[in-house]
Amino acid sequence: MKITVYSDFVCPFCFLGKQTLHEAVKDKDVEIEWKPFELRPEGTQPLSPKSQYIQQGWKMSVEPLADRLGVKMMLPEMDPHPRTQKTHEGFQFAKERGKGKEYVEAVFQAFWQEGKDIGNVDVLASIAEEVGLEREKFTEALQNGDYAQAHQVELQHAYREANVTAVPTIIIGNRKLQGVQPKEVLEQVIAEQSTGHDDHSGQACGIDACE
């Protein structure tokens, strides 16, 4: 079974949802396919971690959920938080070389547990090198925009064909789940292999807000 996950690296609920998903698919014959989504693309206002919106969301939603899940994470202090176009382009580079999963894990950890600027190409190149990719080729590819078109194709698919409006969005068969899902819910959906289309609401990030 293939599970498709639409996410953005700067979404705290994508980081937390990744944890419950990994627990749900443990020891199961399941393939996870990561797909990009940009919460703050070019032309939109970047978010400041000092804003009331971010501070309130962190204290009221993110921090309590992280505590319940036993996940250690921090609110990165860089102001504003980075855009993720180059981050996702780096994923395309890694995926083409069979390192997509490792790259996703490393980038999430770098941002939410180490507070690194994942919008910086040099930072991304160091992450790529850590997961076994060639630093110079990675850097050159991102600087030249070699994977910009591939990223945009997948991004438009998320917006227009998959109708993704918030992340994380998880597609299991014909079931669509939005937001952080408990492990038990994910296990149930996987087991059912439903042919219907059900939506489960959980905490997620959209263009305008995280709820």
Side-chain angles (χ1 to χ4, degrees):
M1 179 183 295
K2 183 171 75 174
I3 297 176
T4 303
V5 182
Y6 294 87
S7 65
D8 196 2
F9 295 106
V10 292
C11 167
F13 296 123
C14 290
F15 177 67
L16 292 171
K18 180 175 64 67
Q19 177 69 22
T20 61
L21 178 60
H22 284 176
E23 292 176 358
V25 302
K26 186 177 180 180
D27 299 326
K28 295 181 176 64
D29 186 16
V30 172
E31 174 191 353
I32 298 176
E33 180 181 26
W34 297 97
K35 293 284 189 179
F37 188 91
E38 288 187 39
L39 288 168
R40 287 292 180 272
E42 289 294 334
T44 61
Q45 184 69 27
L47 292 178
S48 168
K50 298 177 183 177
S51 67
Q52 182 179 359
Y53 159 66
I54 291 291
Q55 289 291 323
Q56 183 175 353
W58 184 264
K59 293 177 182 178
M60 300 296 293
S61 299
V62 178
E63 205 167 43
L65 181 56
D67 288 342
R68 289 201 302 273
L69 295 176
V71 177
K72 293 183 179 180
M73 63 187 299
M74 60 182 291
L75 177 61
E77 296 180 352
M78 66 200 67
D79 195 359
H81 279 178
R83 301 188 192 279
T84 53
Q85 178 180 334
K86 288 297 181 184
T87 323
H88 287 295
E89 289 178 21
F91 166 69
Q92 295 297 327
F93 179 98
K95 182 174 70 170
E96 190 175 88
R97 290 157 178 79
K99 293 286 186 178
K101 177 182 178 181
E102 293 84 353
Y103 178 86
V104 167
E105 293 286 343
V107 172
F108 268 122
Q109 179 179 328
F111 188 65
W112 291 110
Q113 294 184 319
E114 300 169 15
K116 294 181 179 179
D117 182 359
I118 59 170
N120 183 291
V121 172
D122 288 336
V123 172
L124 292 174
S126 295
I127 294 171
E129 189 174 29
E130 289 173 5
V131 300
L133 296 168
E134 294 185 59
R135 183 188 184 102
E136 291 184 4
K137 289 185 177 181
F138 179 91
T139 301
E140 182 179 0
L142 263 62
Q143 290 176 339
N144 294 339
D146 293 348
Y147 290 85
Q149 183 176 359
H151 167 57
Q152 288 302 320
V153 168
E154 292 213 359
L155 201 59
Q156 291 308 312
H157 166 79
Y159 295 154
R160 298 177 181 178
E161 296 178 41
N163 296 317
V164 175
T165 58
V167 286
T169 291
I170 304 171
I171 309 294
I172 305 175
N174 293 324
R175 299 283 294 273
K176 181 179 181 182
L177 298 86
Q178 190 177 93
V180 181
Q181 299 296 321
K183 181 186 76 167
E184 295 76 16
V185 170
L186 292 167
E187 289 176 331
Q188 179 181 348
V189 174
I190 292 171
E192 288 174 352
Q193 299 183 24
S194 174
T195 57
H197 181 91
D198 290 21
D199 288 302
H200 294 258
S201 296
Q203 291 171 299
C205 289
I207 294 295
D208 298 320
C210 288
E211 300 178 348

